[in-house]
Amino acid sequence: MANFEIIEREESRLVKVTLNNETVRTESGALHYMRGDITMQSKTPSAGGFLKSLATGENIFRPTYTGTGELYLEPTLSGFHILDLAGSEWTLDRGAYLASDGSVEVSVERNKLITGLVGGEGLYQTKVKGVGKVVMVAQGPVETIELRREKLVVDGNFAIARSGPLTYRVEKATKSVLGSMTSGEFLVNIFEGTGTVLLAPIPYWKVLMLRQVTAAAASSASS
């Protein structure tokens, strides 16, 4: 399988993929540059696949890269998280998928109508399963929450992925509409069952700003 590595350069981050006669798949437009004997291929989808894309909003053009060399994906001020699948199945937040091993199956998960419309995740999310690595876009450092027949309540779209066995729905923060509105947490995301949820609640750019403010304060104090 390909080797995925997150590289930090002057506060920005990018993903380096090392291929040794292997294949990887990426989101459309993810390429930064590549070197070596690597061939890119973007297949035209079938009519059914095109209609499915219109209905789901899923990107139908996910190019593959095959060969031996190095592939670099576009840098960002946010971050990335590498998920190692071992026959497991995960549902990703909308827009979180970036790249994966060619052996990983990428498809679509349909949310319930109300949950999709009001939960911020949309009616459809990307599902990945199989064996291999998946690279996800994460706004900040990722926190892993393990659930054992438990319920996790999350405010906002901080959850970037959940493992297959977990159920997902959206509810009012309190039993009454007025109570939910006045609590400041009108709607919350509910994850329930046994599995794993990945959260990225703190954007990297906030960490960078705090670091710069701290450095400026230290410099001012020493002068």
Side-chain angles (χ1 to χ4, degrees):
M1 296 181 185
N3 181 62
F4 294 87
E5 181 183 358
I6 300 173
I7 299 174
E8 184 169 338
R9 292 179 178 173
E10 298 180 351
E11 306 301 345
S12 68
R13 294 163 182 82
L14 57 82
V15 175
K16 173 186 176 182
V17 187
T18 303
L19 301 173
N20 184 14
N21 195 27
E22 293 156 320
T23 298
V24 297
R25 179 180 292 105
T26 74
E27 189 69 5
S28 177
L31 176 65
H32 185 32
Y33 65 91
M34 60 183 178
R35 53 191 297 177
D37 186 14
I38 301 176
T39 301
M40 178 177 67
Q41 186 175 20
S42 183
K43 294 182 179 180
T44 302
S46 64
F50 183 75
L51 292 175
K52 179 181 178 181
S53 172
L54 293 178
T56 64
E58 182 190 20
N59 194 341
I60 56 176
F61 296 104
R62 286 194 170 121
T64 59
Y65 298 84
T66 303
T68 299
E70 296 175 349
L71 179 70
Y72 293 81
L73 306 184
E74 285 196 339
T76 177
L77 288 176
S78 58
F80 305 99
H81 181 74
I82 298 176
L83 182 63
D84 194 357
L85 303 183
S88 55
E89 179 179 288
W90 287 74
T91 301
L92 310 186
D93 184 22
R94 183 173 55 183
Y97 175 85
L98 182 70
S100 60
D101 275 306
S103 57
V104 173
E105 181 182 338
V106 183
S107 60
V108 173
E109 169 83 359
R110 189 184 188 280
N111 291 321
K112 294 180 179 179
L113 180 61
I114 299 301
T115 296
L117 291 177
V118 303
E121 304 294 350
L123 289 176
Y124 298 89
Q125 293 177 272
T126 299
K127 178 188 289 185
V128 292
K129 66 178 179 178
V131 177
K133 290 185 170 58
V134 177
V135 181
M136 296 182 295
V137 177
Q139 294 302 311
V142 173
E143 179 181 1
T144 301
I145 306 293
E146 299 287 351
L147 300 179
R148 295 290 180 267
R149 296 187 297 276
E150 300 171 271
K151 181 169 72 172
L152 175 67
V153 181
V154 180
D155 176 42
N157 298 326
F158 296 131
I160 63 172
R162 66 183 185 272
S163 60
L166 291 175
T167 61
Y168 164 66
R169 65 183 185 276
V170 175
E171 291 183 354
K172 299 190 302 294
T174 67
K175 292 183 178 180
S176 69
V177 174
L178 180 59
S180 296
M181 294 179 66
T182 56
S183 70
E185 314 293 346
F186 183 50
L187 295 174
V188 291
N189 295 309
I190 308 293
F191 303 90
E192 196 165 12
T194 297
T196 306
V197 179
L198 301 182
L199 303 179
I202 305 175
Y204 275 112
W205 62 266
K206 287 187 177 180
V207 177
L208 173 59
M209 289 178 62
L210 179 60
R211 188 183 306 168
Q212 291 175 335
V213 169
T214 302
S219 176
S220 175
S222 62
S223 60

